[in-house]
Amino acid sequence: MDPRWIVIVLANGLLIFLGGQFNHYLAHLPVSMFLGGLCLPVAGLWLRFRPGFIAMFLSGLLLDAARPVPFGSSALLLSALFTCWHSVRTRLPRDGVAPPVIGALLANVALFLVQPLLLGPSAALASATSGRVLTDLLCSQVAIVLLGPWFCALQEQALLLRGVNLAEEARIPGAL
Amino acid sequence: MPPLQFIRQRPFAVLAVVFVLWLLVPVAAKRFMQVSLFEFGAPAEFAASYARDLQQYWSLRTRSTNELLQTARDLANLNASYEVRIRENETLREQVQRLEDVLHLPSNIEYRTEIARVVRRDFGTWSQRLIIRKGRNNGGPNGGIPVGAPVIFTGGVVGRVTEVYAFSSVVDLVSSPTLRVAAMVEGDSRPFSFQGGPNPPFTQARGSVEFVPLDIYVSPATPKRIVTAGLGGVFPPGLVLGYIQELELDTNGLFKSGTVLLDPRLNEIHEVAVLVSLNPEQQ
C-alpha cells in the first residue's frame, strides 16, 4: 500500500484532533479556530496526483466526521482545491516556508467561508455576528502562520521515515 | 486509454467522476462511514478528556488540609439544606399525584438523570456543540441516551442530544440557532419563541426571543429571567434559559423581540445531566 496518502491522512487526523483541543480551551472566550486549510499544502505542492487526491478525500471525510456539515462535503472541497493546486503548481514557487503557508492561508479562507453554505445559510448566519466571523477567521489565520511550518516539517519527516523524499517526489516525470 | 494515463491527463475529469460517484453513494453507506470515522477518532478525544480529569485531580491534591476542611463544612451545610428540599419535593410530588388521580389529569413526564462529563466543547463560528462521555452503551438501561433528550446543568438548559454513538453523544447547545424552544418569562404563563445565537466574540453566549407579549418590559438594569414553557414535550417546564436584556417592538407592532443573555458558565461547562424520559411514549 502507498505510504504517502496514509502518512498524510494520519498527520491530518492529528491536526484535526489538535484543532479540536485548541477549540475546547478557547470555548470560554468564546472564540474558535478552523485549521482545515493546513491539510492541503504538502499534498498540493509536492505529492503526486493519485496519492494526493486519495489523501485529501480521506482527510476531508475525517474532518466531516465530527462536524454538523453534510458528510463528504469537505472531502469534495479539499479534493477540488487539491486538483486546482496540483494543476498549476509547476508555475508556483515551491522552495522555502512561505509557499505552503500562503497556500494554506488561501485554502483556509475558502474552506472557512464556504461553511455557511454547507450548514444552510440561514442557520449558519444566525449563529455568528460579523465580529465573531472576523475574529475567528483572524485567529485561524494566525494559527496557520504559527503552526504551518511545523506541520509541513512533520509531514515531510514522517514521509522521509517511510522512504519518500518530497524534494524528489514532485519532479519525477510522468508520475501519477 | 489506460486508466493511469487518464488520471494523469484529466485530473479535473477524475474530480468530476469522484463527485458524481459520491453523490450516488447511498445515504446508509455514508452514515456508516461517518459513524465509523467518528468512533475511530473517539478514543483520542476520550484520552484527552481523561487526561484533563487527571490534571484536575492532581491540582486538587495540592490544596491544603484547611481548605479541604472548609470545603467539606460548606458541603455539609449544602447537603443539609438539600435534605430538607428533597423531603419537601417528595411531599409535593405525592400531592401532585393525588390531585392528578382525583382530577383524572394526565401525569407529567418523568425523567431519570444521567450525569455525563464533557469530552469536548466546540463553540465554532457556525455551530455550537458539546461532545459528552455517555452514549448508547454506557448511558443507562433501555438503549442508553436517546436522540432528542434535553441536557441541563446547574445554570439551566445546556441543549439537546442530536447524535448518539457507542460511548459518546453530541449535544446541540442552547446558543446554537438549530435549537428552538418555547419559553416564558418566569411567573408569566404566556409562551413565546426562543432561538440560540447570534454569538459575538469575547462575551457570554446569546439567544433571541420572538413573539413576546407587548406588556412585558425589560431593560439592561432590570432583566427578566426566562424559563422553558414545557410545550413541545422535549424540555420540562421551568428550566432556566437566560435573561432577556432588551426588547424591541416588531415591525408588525403585535409582539416584541429581543436578546437573551445565556449563563456565562455555559462556555466553561465540565459536567452535564441528560434527562432521559421514563415514558418515551408520553412525549
PDB file of all heavy atoms in Angstrom, chain A residues 21 24-25 29-30 32 50 65-66 115 119 123 126-128 132 136 174 176, chain B residues 4 7-8 34 45 52 120-121 123-126 129 177 198-199 202-203:
ATOM      1  N   GLN A  21      -8.865  20.218  20.262  1.00  0.00           N
ATOM      2  CA  GLN A  21      -8.402  20.518  21.624  1.00  0.00           C
ATOM      3  C   GLN A  21      -8.212  22.028  21.817  1.00  0.00           C
ATOM      4  O   GLN A  21      -8.585  22.572  22.850  1.00  0.00           O
ATOM      5  CB  GLN A  21      -7.075  19.788  21.913  1.00  0.00           C
ATOM      6  CG  GLN A  21      -7.200  18.282  21.940  1.00  0.00           C
ATOM      7  CD  GLN A  21      -8.240  17.798  22.943  1.00  0.00           C
ATOM      8  OE1 GLN A  21      -8.228  18.171  24.094  1.00  0.00           O
ATOM      9  NE2 GLN A  21      -9.172  16.983  22.472  1.00  0.00           N
ATOM     10  N   HIS A  24     -11.541  23.494  22.296  1.00  0.00           N
ATOM     11  CA  HIS A  24     -12.082  23.176  23.620  1.00  0.00           C
ATOM     12  C   HIS A  24     -11.621  24.225  24.637  1.00  0.00           C
ATOM     13  O   HIS A  24     -12.411  24.707  25.453  1.00  0.00           O
ATOM     14  CB  HIS A  24     -11.624  21.776  24.032  1.00  0.00           C
ATOM     15  CG  HIS A  24     -12.034  21.396  25.413  1.00  0.00           C
ATOM     16  ND1 HIS A  24     -13.273  20.864  25.684  1.00  0.00           N
ATOM     17  CD2 HIS A  24     -11.397  21.493  26.601  1.00  0.00           C
ATOM     18  CE1 HIS A  24     -13.369  20.648  26.984  1.00  0.00           C
ATOM     19  NE2 HIS A  24     -12.238  21.007  27.565  1.00  0.00           N
ATOM     20  N   TYR A  25     -10.342  24.558  24.587  1.00  0.00           N
ATOM     21  CA  TYR A  25      -9.804  25.528  25.556  1.00  0.00           C
ATOM     22  C   TYR A  25     -10.189  26.966  25.207  1.00  0.00           C
ATOM     23  O   TYR A  25     -10.267  27.808  26.095  1.00  0.00           O
ATOM     24  CB  TYR A  25      -8.281  25.387  25.668  1.00  0.00           C
ATOM     25  CG  TYR A  25      -7.887  24.118  26.385  1.00  0.00           C
ATOM     26  CD1 TYR A  25      -7.354  23.036  25.699  1.00  0.00           C
ATOM     27  CD2 TYR A  25      -8.105  23.979  27.754  1.00  0.00           C
ATOM     28  CE1 TYR A  25      -7.026  21.860  26.355  1.00  0.00           C
ATOM     29  CE2 TYR A  25      -7.786  22.807  28.414  1.00  0.00           C
ATOM     30  CZ  TYR A  25      -7.244  21.752  27.707  1.00  0.00           C
ATOM     31  OH  TYR A  25      -6.936  20.590  28.361  1.00  0.00           O
ATOM     32  N   LEU A  29     -13.776  31.762  25.788  1.00  0.00           N
ATOM     33  CA  LEU A  29     -13.615  33.185  25.420  1.00  0.00           C
ATOM     34  C   LEU A  29     -14.883  33.845  24.859  1.00  0.00           C
ATOM     35  O   LEU A  29     -15.133  34.995  25.218  1.00  0.00           O
ATOM     36  CB  LEU A  29     -12.440  33.336  24.435  1.00  0.00           C
ATOM     37  CG  LEU A  29     -11.066  33.192  25.091  1.00  0.00           C
ATOM     38  CD1 LEU A  29      -9.965  33.241  24.052  1.00  0.00           C
ATOM     39  CD2 LEU A  29     -10.857  34.270  26.126  1.00  0.00           C
ATOM     40  N   PRO A  30     -15.742  33.338  24.049  1.00  0.00           N
ATOM     41  CA  PRO A  30     -15.613  32.185  23.178  1.00  0.00           C
ATOM     42  C   PRO A  30     -15.145  32.581  21.778  1.00  0.00           C
ATOM     43  O   PRO A  30     -15.718  33.425  21.121  1.00  0.00           O
ATOM     44  CB  PRO A  30     -17.047  31.667  23.127  1.00  0.00           C
ATOM     45  CG  PRO A  30     -17.895  32.871  23.283  1.00  0.00           C
ATOM     46  CD  PRO A  30     -17.081  33.916  23.990  1.00  0.00           C
ATOM     47  N   SER A  32     -13.131  30.555  18.226  1.00  0.00           N
ATOM     48  CA  SER A  32     -12.729  29.238  17.711  1.00  0.00           C
ATOM     49  C   SER A  32     -11.789  29.421  16.532  1.00  0.00           C
ATOM     50  O   SER A  32     -11.694  30.512  15.975  1.00  0.00           O
ATOM     51  CB  SER A  32     -13.960  28.441  17.280  1.00  0.00           C
ATOM     52  OG  SER A  32     -14.517  29.026  16.142  1.00  0.00           O
ATOM     53  N   ARG A  50      -2.356  10.961  -7.672  1.00  0.00           N
ATOM     54  CA  ARG A  50      -3.197   9.886  -7.115  1.00  0.00           C
ATOM     55  C   ARG A  50      -3.117   9.805  -5.587  1.00  0.00           C
ATOM     56  O   ARG A  50      -4.164   9.885  -4.923  1.00  0.00           O
ATOM     57  CB  ARG A  50      -2.856   8.540  -7.761  1.00  0.00           C
ATOM     58  CG  ARG A  50      -3.956   7.519  -7.548  1.00  0.00           C
ATOM     59  CD  ARG A  50      -3.791   6.321  -8.402  1.00  0.00           C
ATOM     60  NE  ARG A  50      -2.403   5.841  -8.397  1.00  0.00           N
ATOM     61  CZ  ARG A  50      -2.036   4.651  -8.849  1.00  0.00           C
ATOM     62  NH1 ARG A  50      -2.935   3.828  -9.318  1.00  0.00           N
ATOM     63  NH2 ARG A  50      -0.774   4.283  -8.844  1.00  0.00           N
ATOM     64  N   ALA A  65     -16.378  14.035   9.945  1.00  0.00           N
ATOM     65  CA  ALA A  65     -16.977  13.019  10.823  1.00  0.00           C
ATOM     66  C   ALA A  65     -17.554  13.619  12.093  1.00  0.00           C
ATOM     67  O   ALA A  65     -18.578  13.162  12.580  1.00  0.00           O
ATOM     68  CB  ALA A  65     -15.941  11.950  11.164  1.00  0.00           C
ATOM     69  N   ALA A  66     -16.904  14.658  12.635  1.00  0.00           N
ATOM     70  CA  ALA A  66     -17.384  15.223  13.903  1.00  0.00           C
ATOM     71  C   ALA A  66     -17.944  16.624  13.732  1.00  0.00           C
ATOM     72  O   ALA A  66     -17.977  17.393  14.678  1.00  0.00           O
ATOM     73  CB  ALA A  66     -16.237  15.240  14.916  1.00  0.00           C
ATOM     74  N   GLN A 115     -18.352  27.285   4.671  1.00  0.00           N
ATOM     75  CA  GLN A 115     -19.087  26.533   5.703  1.00  0.00           C
ATOM     76  C   GLN A 115     -20.571  26.921   5.808  1.00  0.00           C
ATOM     77  O   GLN A 115     -21.420  26.048   5.924  1.00  0.00           O
ATOM     78  CB  GLN A 115     -18.439  26.691   7.090  1.00  0.00           C
ATOM     79  CG  GLN A 115     -17.013  26.203   7.188  1.00  0.00           C
ATOM     80  CD  GLN A 115     -16.844  24.753   6.845  1.00  0.00           C
ATOM     81  OE1 GLN A 115     -17.532  23.908   7.381  1.00  0.00           O
ATOM     82  NE2 GLN A 115     -15.954  24.481   5.917  1.00  0.00           N
ATOM     83  N   LEU A 119     -23.793  24.345   5.855  1.00  0.00           N
ATOM     84  CA  LEU A 119     -24.665  24.187   7.024  1.00  0.00           C
ATOM     85  C   LEU A 119     -26.087  24.664   6.756  1.00  0.00           C
ATOM     86  O   LEU A 119     -26.991  24.391   7.536  1.00  0.00           O
ATOM     87  CB  LEU A 119     -24.098  24.995   8.198  1.00  0.00           C
ATOM     88  CG  LEU A 119     -22.888  24.399   8.887  1.00  0.00           C
ATOM     89  CD1 LEU A 119     -22.163  25.462   9.676  1.00  0.00           C
ATOM     90  CD2 LEU A 119     -23.312  23.282   9.810  1.00  0.00           C
ATOM     91  N   ALA A 123     -29.262  29.175   9.029  1.00  0.00           N
ATOM     92  CA  ALA A 123     -28.852  28.708  10.360  1.00  0.00           C
ATOM     93  C   ALA A 123     -27.447  29.189  10.693  1.00  0.00           C
ATOM     94  O   ALA A 123     -27.189  29.651  11.808  1.00  0.00           O
ATOM     95  CB  ALA A 123     -28.913  27.187  10.411  1.00  0.00           C
ATOM     96  N   ALA A 126     -27.293  32.936  11.333  1.00  0.00           N
ATOM     97  CA  ALA A 126     -27.947  33.288  12.599  1.00  0.00           C
ATOM     98  C   ALA A 126     -27.062  32.925  13.785  1.00  0.00           C
ATOM     99  O   ALA A 126     -27.318  33.341  14.907  1.00  0.00           O
ATOM    100  CB  ALA A 126     -29.277  32.565  12.708  1.00  0.00           C
ATOM    101  N   SER A 127     -26.026  32.122  13.531  1.00  0.00           N
ATOM    102  CA  SER A 127     -25.176  31.631  14.612  1.00  0.00           C
ATOM    103  C   SER A 127     -24.140  32.639  15.064  1.00  0.00           C
ATOM    104  O   SER A 127     -23.764  32.673  16.229  1.00  0.00           O
ATOM    105  CB  SER A 127     -24.486  30.348  14.144  1.00  0.00           C
ATOM    106  OG  SER A 127     -23.504  29.980  15.039  1.00  0.00           O
ATOM    107  N   ALA A 128     -23.637  33.456  14.141  1.00  0.00           N
ATOM    108  CA  ALA A 128     -22.495  34.319  14.487  1.00  0.00           C
ATOM    109  C   ALA A 128     -22.706  35.744  14.015  1.00  0.00           C
ATOM    110  O   ALA A 128     -23.340  35.971  12.985  1.00  0.00           O
ATOM    111  CB  ALA A 128     -21.237  33.755  13.856  1.00  0.00           C
ATOM    112  N   ARG A 132     -17.718  38.123  15.208  1.00  0.00           N
ATOM    113  CA  ARG A 132     -17.278  36.767  15.556  1.00  0.00           C
ATOM    114  C   ARG A 132     -16.620  36.089  14.349  1.00  0.00           C
ATOM    115  O   ARG A 132     -15.589  35.427  14.481  1.00  0.00           O
ATOM    116  CB  ARG A 132     -18.493  35.957  16.040  1.00  0.00           C
ATOM    117  CG  ARG A 132     -18.231  34.506  16.323  1.00  0.00           C
ATOM    118  CD  ARG A 132     -17.511  34.307  17.635  1.00  0.00           C
ATOM    119  NE  ARG A 132     -16.954  32.978  17.753  1.00  0.00           N
ATOM    120  CZ  ARG A 132     -17.567  31.955  18.334  1.00  0.00           C
ATOM    121  NH1 ARG A 132     -18.731  32.119  18.899  1.00  0.00           N
ATOM    122  NH2 ARG A 132     -16.985  30.780  18.398  1.00  0.00           N
ATOM    123  N   ASP A 136     -12.780  34.926  14.464  1.00  0.00           N
ATOM    124  CA  ASP A 136     -12.440  33.510  14.277  1.00  0.00           C
ATOM    125  C   ASP A 136     -11.537  33.311  13.064  1.00  0.00           C
ATOM    126  O   ASP A 136     -10.595  32.510  13.107  1.00  0.00           O
ATOM    127  CB  ASP A 136     -13.714  32.672  14.126  1.00  0.00           C
ATOM    128  CG  ASP A 136     -14.446  32.510  15.449  1.00  0.00           C
ATOM    129  OD1 ASP A 136     -13.983  33.076  16.445  1.00  0.00           O
ATOM    130  OD2 ASP A 136     -15.474  31.821  15.486  1.00  0.00           O
ATOM    131  N   GLY A 174       6.174  12.188 -15.437  1.00  0.00           N
ATOM    132  CA  GLY A 174       5.099  11.221 -15.701  1.00  0.00           C
ATOM    133  C   GLY A 174       4.567  10.541 -14.477  1.00  0.00           C
ATOM    134  O   GLY A 174       3.852   9.545 -14.568  1.00  0.00           O
ATOM    135  N   LEU A 176       2.286   9.687 -11.252  1.00  0.00           N
ATOM    136  CA  LEU A 176       0.863   9.806 -11.001  1.00  0.00           C
ATOM    137  C   LEU A 176       0.628  10.065  -9.523  1.00  0.00           C
ATOM    138  O   LEU A 176      -0.458  10.211  -9.081  1.00  0.00           O
ATOM    139  CB  LEU A 176       0.132   8.541 -11.419  1.00  0.00           C
ATOM    140  CG  LEU A 176       0.126   8.269 -12.915  1.00  0.00           C
ATOM    141  CD1 LEU A 176      -0.423   6.889 -13.172  1.00  0.00           C
ATOM    142  CD2 LEU A 176      -0.697   9.295 -13.661  1.00  0.00           C
TER     143      LEU A 176
ATOM    144  N   LEU B   4      -4.476   4.830 -15.750  1.00  0.00           N
ATOM    145  CA  LEU B   4      -3.455   5.666 -15.115  1.00  0.00           C
ATOM    146  C   LEU B   4      -3.134   6.886 -15.981  1.00  0.00           C
ATOM    147  O   LEU B   4      -2.923   7.986 -15.489  1.00  0.00           O
ATOM    148  CB  LEU B   4      -2.190   4.864 -14.833  1.00  0.00           C
ATOM    149  CG  LEU B   4      -2.340   3.750 -13.802  1.00  0.00           C
ATOM    150  CD1 LEU B   4      -1.018   3.047 -13.571  1.00  0.00           C
ATOM    151  CD2 LEU B   4      -2.860   4.295 -12.477  1.00  0.00           C
ATOM    152  N   ILE B   7      -5.889   9.404 -15.596  1.00  0.00           N
ATOM    153  CA  ILE B   7      -5.760  10.187 -14.366  1.00  0.00           C
ATOM    154  C   ILE B   7      -4.750  11.309 -14.553  1.00  0.00           C
ATOM    155  O   ILE B   7      -4.986  12.441 -14.151  1.00  0.00           O
ATOM    156  CB  ILE B   7      -5.345   9.263 -13.175  1.00  0.00           C
ATOM    157  CG1 ILE B   7      -6.492   8.316 -12.831  1.00  0.00           C
ATOM    158  CG2 ILE B   7      -4.957  10.077 -11.953  1.00  0.00           C
ATOM    159  CD1 ILE B   7      -6.116   7.243 -11.837  1.00  0.00           C
ATOM    160  N   ARG B   8      -3.613  10.996 -15.228  1.00  0.00           N
ATOM    161  CA  ARG B   8      -2.564  11.997 -15.385  1.00  0.00           C
ATOM    162  C   ARG B   8      -3.010  13.141 -16.288  1.00  0.00           C
ATOM    163  O   ARG B   8      -2.743  14.297 -16.021  1.00  0.00           O
ATOM    164  CB  ARG B   8      -1.311  11.329 -15.942  1.00  0.00           C
ATOM    165  CG  ARG B   8      -0.093  12.247 -15.878  1.00  0.00           C
ATOM    166  CD  ARG B   8       1.164  11.521 -16.291  1.00  0.00           C
ATOM    167  NE  ARG B   8       1.157  11.128 -17.681  1.00  0.00           N
ATOM    168  CZ  ARG B   8       1.656   9.998 -18.149  1.00  0.00           C
ATOM    169  NH1 ARG B   8       2.153   9.115 -17.307  1.00  0.00           N
ATOM    170  NH2 ARG B   8       1.649   9.720 -19.428  1.00  0.00           N
ATOM    171  N   GLN B  34     -19.500   7.717   8.306  1.00  0.00           N
ATOM    172  CA  GLN B  34     -19.393   8.845   9.240  1.00  0.00           C
ATOM    173  C   GLN B  34     -19.288   8.337  10.683  1.00  0.00           C
ATOM    174  O   GLN B  34     -18.424   8.775  11.436  1.00  0.00           O
ATOM    175  CB  GLN B  34     -20.622   9.752   9.080  1.00  0.00           C
ATOM    176  CG  GLN B  34     -20.497  11.101   9.736  1.00  0.00           C
ATOM    177  CD  GLN B  34     -21.380  11.232  10.965  1.00  0.00           C
ATOM    178  OE1 GLN B  34     -22.483  10.712  10.974  1.00  0.00           O
ATOM    179  NE2 GLN B  34     -20.901  11.906  11.971  1.00  0.00           N
ATOM    180  N   GLU B  45     -10.065  11.536  21.686  1.00  0.00           N
ATOM    181  CA  GLU B  45     -10.806  12.587  22.407  1.00  0.00           C
ATOM    182  C   GLU B  45     -11.024  12.171  23.865  1.00  0.00           C
ATOM    183  O   GLU B  45     -10.898  12.984  24.778  1.00  0.00           O
ATOM    184  CB  GLU B  45     -12.179  12.824  21.743  1.00  0.00           C
ATOM    185  CG  GLU B  45     -12.119  13.243  20.296  1.00  0.00           C
ATOM    186  CD  GLU B  45     -11.734  14.693  20.110  1.00  0.00           C
ATOM    187  OE1 GLU B  45     -11.565  15.390  21.126  1.00  0.00           O
ATOM    188  OE2 GLU B  45     -11.573  15.110  18.953  1.00  0.00           O
ATOM    189  N   ARG B  52      -7.403  15.457  31.179  1.00  0.00           N
ATOM    190  CA  ARG B  52      -7.828  16.714  31.832  1.00  0.00           C
ATOM    191  C   ARG B  52      -8.380  16.434  33.226  1.00  0.00           C
ATOM    192  O   ARG B  52      -8.109  17.170  34.171  1.00  0.00           O
ATOM    193  CB  ARG B  52      -8.886  17.417  30.982  1.00  0.00           C
ATOM    194  CG  ARG B  52      -8.318  18.282  29.890  1.00  0.00           C
ATOM    195  CD  ARG B  52      -9.377  19.204  29.315  1.00  0.00           C
ATOM    196  NE  ARG B  52     -10.440  18.480  28.647  1.00  0.00           N
ATOM    197  CZ  ARG B  52     -10.406  18.109  27.376  1.00  0.00           C
ATOM    198  NH1 ARG B  52      -9.373  18.398  26.632  1.00  0.00           N
ATOM    199  NH2 ARG B  52     -11.404  17.444  26.828  1.00  0.00           N
ATOM    200  N   ARG B 120     -15.562  17.327  24.863  1.00  0.00           N
ATOM    201  CA  ARG B 120     -15.054  18.458  24.077  1.00  0.00           C
ATOM    202  C   ARG B 120     -16.120  19.526  23.902  1.00  0.00           C
ATOM    203  O   ARG B 120     -17.277  19.201  23.636  1.00  0.00           O
ATOM    204  CB  ARG B 120     -14.599  17.967  22.708  1.00  0.00           C
ATOM    205  CG  ARG B 120     -13.560  18.863  22.082  1.00  0.00           C
ATOM    206  CD  ARG B 120     -13.094  18.311  20.777  1.00  0.00           C
ATOM    207  NE  ARG B 120     -14.038  18.622  19.715  1.00  0.00           N
ATOM    208  CZ  ARG B 120     -14.019  18.064  18.521  1.00  0.00           C
ATOM    209  NH1 ARG B 120     -13.154  17.120  18.247  1.00  0.00           N
ATOM    210  NH2 ARG B 120     -14.880  18.413  17.605  1.00  0.00           N
ATOM    211  N   ARG B 121     -15.709  20.779  24.095  1.00  0.00           N
ATOM    212  CA  ARG B 121     -16.607  21.899  23.806  1.00  0.00           C
ATOM    213  C   ARG B 121     -16.231  22.408  22.422  1.00  0.00           C
ATOM    214  O   ARG B 121     -15.062  22.644  22.149  1.00  0.00           O
ATOM    215  CB  ARG B 121     -16.403  23.026  24.827  1.00  0.00           C
ATOM    216  CG  ARG B 121     -16.755  22.657  26.231  1.00  0.00           C
ATOM    217  CD  ARG B 121     -16.599  23.859  27.133  1.00  0.00           C
ATOM    218  NE  ARG B 121     -15.203  24.221  27.325  1.00  0.00           N
ATOM    219  CZ  ARG B 121     -14.493  23.933  28.414  1.00  0.00           C
ATOM    220  NH1 ARG B 121     -15.050  23.291  29.407  1.00  0.00           N
ATOM    221  NH2 ARG B 121     -13.239  24.300  28.511  1.00  0.00           N
ATOM    222  N   PHE B 123     -17.373  25.402  20.375  1.00  0.00           N
ATOM    223  CA  PHE B 123     -18.153  26.629  20.173  1.00  0.00           C
ATOM    224  C   PHE B 123     -17.662  27.312  18.909  1.00  0.00           C
ATOM    225  O   PHE B 123     -17.030  28.362  18.958  1.00  0.00           O
ATOM    226  CB  PHE B 123     -18.003  27.563  21.385  1.00  0.00           C
ATOM    227  CG  PHE B 123     -18.701  27.079  22.623  1.00  0.00           C
ATOM    228  CD1 PHE B 123     -18.932  25.749  22.855  1.00  0.00           C
ATOM    229  CD2 PHE B 123     -19.153  27.977  23.576  1.00  0.00           C
ATOM    230  CE1 PHE B 123     -19.575  25.298  23.993  1.00  0.00           C
ATOM    231  CE2 PHE B 123     -19.800  27.549  24.722  1.00  0.00           C
ATOM    232  CZ  PHE B 123     -20.011  26.206  24.932  1.00  0.00           C
ATOM    233  N   GLY B 124     -17.935  26.664  17.779  1.00  0.00           N
ATOM    234  CA  GLY B 124     -17.426  27.146  16.500  1.00  0.00           C
ATOM    235  C   GLY B 124     -18.150  28.396  16.031  1.00  0.00           C
ATOM    236  O   GLY B 124     -19.103  28.860  16.657  1.00  0.00           O
ATOM    237  N   THR B 125     -17.657  28.919  14.892  1.00  0.00           N
ATOM    238  CA  THR B 125     -18.263  30.131  14.337  1.00  0.00           C
ATOM    239  C   THR B 125     -19.689  29.864  13.887  1.00  0.00           C
ATOM    240  O   THR B 125     -20.587  30.652  14.131  1.00  0.00           O
ATOM    241  CB  THR B 125     -17.453  30.592  13.103  1.00  0.00           C
ATOM    242  OG1 THR B 125     -16.075  30.393  13.366  1.00  0.00           O
ATOM    243  CG2 THR B 125     -17.738  32.022  12.761  1.00  0.00           C
ATOM    244  N   TRP B 126     -19.870  28.724  13.233  1.00  0.00           N
ATOM    245  CA  TRP B 126     -21.154  28.464  12.585  1.00  0.00           C
ATOM    246  C   TRP B 126     -22.040  27.497  13.357  1.00  0.00           C
ATOM    247  O   TRP B 126     -23.200  27.305  12.999  1.00  0.00           O
ATOM    248  CB  TRP B 126     -20.918  27.906  11.170  1.00  0.00           C
ATOM    249  CG  TRP B 126     -19.915  28.669  10.370  1.00  0.00           C
ATOM    250  CD1 TRP B 126     -18.700  28.224   9.964  1.00  0.00           C
ATOM    251  CD2 TRP B 126     -20.019  30.015   9.888  1.00  0.00           C
ATOM    252  NE1 TRP B 126     -18.046  29.199   9.262  1.00  0.00           N
ATOM    253  CE2 TRP B 126     -18.824  30.306   9.188  1.00  0.00           C
ATOM    254  CE3 TRP B 126     -21.013  31.000   9.966  1.00  0.00           C
ATOM    255  CZ2 TRP B 126     -18.597  31.521   8.584  1.00  0.00           C
ATOM    256  CZ3 TRP B 126     -20.767  32.222   9.366  1.00  0.00           C
ATOM    257  CH2 TRP B 126     -19.587  32.462   8.686  1.00  0.00           C
ATOM    258  N   ARG B 129     -21.579  23.105  19.734  1.00  0.00           N
ATOM    259  CA  ARG B 129     -21.893  21.736  20.155  1.00  0.00           C
ATOM    260  C   ARG B 129     -20.993  21.295  21.297  1.00  0.00           C
ATOM    261  O   ARG B 129     -19.946  21.876  21.537  1.00  0.00           O
ATOM    262  CB  ARG B 129     -21.700  20.759  18.988  1.00  0.00           C
ATOM    263  CG  ARG B 129     -22.323  21.254  17.737  1.00  0.00           C
ATOM    264  CD  ARG B 129     -22.471  20.303  16.614  1.00  0.00           C
ATOM    265  NE  ARG B 129     -21.469  19.302  16.409  1.00  0.00           N
ATOM    266  CZ  ARG B 129     -21.696  18.174  15.751  1.00  0.00           C
ATOM    267  NH1 ARG B 129     -22.884  17.923  15.266  1.00  0.00           N
ATOM    268  NH2 ARG B 129     -20.753  17.301  15.567  1.00  0.00           N
ATOM    269  N   PRO B 177     -28.290  28.217  16.749  1.00  0.00           N
ATOM    270  CA  PRO B 177     -29.578  28.566  16.134  1.00  0.00           C
ATOM    271  C   PRO B 177     -30.396  27.357  15.710  1.00  0.00           C
ATOM    272  O   PRO B 177     -31.567  27.503  15.362  1.00  0.00           O
ATOM    273  CB  PRO B 177     -29.184  29.412  14.927  1.00  0.00           C
ATOM    274  CG  PRO B 177     -27.776  29.094  14.680  1.00  0.00           C
ATOM    275  CD  PRO B 177     -27.158  28.668  15.955  1.00  0.00           C
ATOM    276  N   PRO B 198     -27.483  35.126  17.660  1.00  0.00           N
ATOM    277  CA  PRO B 198     -26.103  35.091  17.182  1.00  0.00           C
ATOM    278  C   PRO B 198     -25.108  35.400  18.304  1.00  0.00           C
ATOM    279  O   PRO B 198     -25.415  36.170  19.204  1.00  0.00           O
ATOM    280  CB  PRO B 198     -26.065  36.184  16.113  1.00  0.00           C
ATOM    281  CG  PRO B 198     -27.127  37.152  16.508  1.00  0.00           C
ATOM    282  CD  PRO B 198     -28.164  36.366  17.252  1.00  0.00           C
ATOM    283  N   ASN B 199     -23.929  34.771  18.217  1.00  0.00           N
ATOM    284  CA  ASN B 199     -22.952  34.852  19.300  1.00  0.00           C
ATOM    285  C   ASN B 199     -21.771  35.761  18.952  1.00  0.00           C
ATOM    286  O   ASN B 199     -21.036  35.460  18.020  1.00  0.00           O
ATOM    287  CB  ASN B 199     -22.430  33.452  19.614  1.00  0.00           C
ATOM    288  CG  ASN B 199     -23.548  32.568  20.111  1.00  0.00           C
ATOM    289  OD1 ASN B 199     -24.101  32.794  21.172  1.00  0.00           O
ATOM    290  ND2 ASN B 199     -23.905  31.566  19.318  1.00  0.00           N
ATOM    291  N   PHE B 202     -15.704  37.046  22.568  1.00  0.00           N
ATOM    292  CA  PHE B 202     -15.210  37.565  23.849  1.00  0.00           C
ATOM    293  C   PHE B 202     -16.310  37.979  24.821  1.00  0.00           C
ATOM    294  O   PHE B 202     -16.121  38.878  25.625  1.00  0.00           O
ATOM    295  CB  PHE B 202     -14.253  38.759  23.624  1.00  0.00           C
ATOM    296  CG  PHE B 202     -13.133  38.442  22.695  1.00  0.00           C
ATOM    297  CD1 PHE B 202     -12.999  39.091  21.489  1.00  0.00           C
ATOM    298  CD2 PHE B 202     -12.206  37.454  23.020  1.00  0.00           C
ATOM    299  CE1 PHE B 202     -11.973  38.782  20.614  1.00  0.00           C
ATOM    300  CE2 PHE B 202     -11.175  37.143  22.159  1.00  0.00           C
ATOM    301  CZ  PHE B 202     -11.057  37.809  20.958  1.00  0.00           C
ATOM    302  N   THR B 203     -17.466  37.349  24.738  1.00  0.00           N
ATOM    303  CA  THR B 203     -18.532  37.633  25.697  1.00  0.00           C
ATOM    304  C   THR B 203     -19.422  36.392  25.820  1.00  0.00           C
ATOM    305  O   THR B 203     -19.247  35.437  25.075  1.00  0.00           O
ATOM    306  CB  THR B 203     -19.337  38.873  25.277  1.00  0.00           C
ATOM    307  OG1 THR B 203     -20.331  39.108  26.258  1.00  0.00           O
ATOM    308  CG2 THR B 203     -20.008  38.695  23.935  1.00  0.00           C
TER     309      THR B 203
END
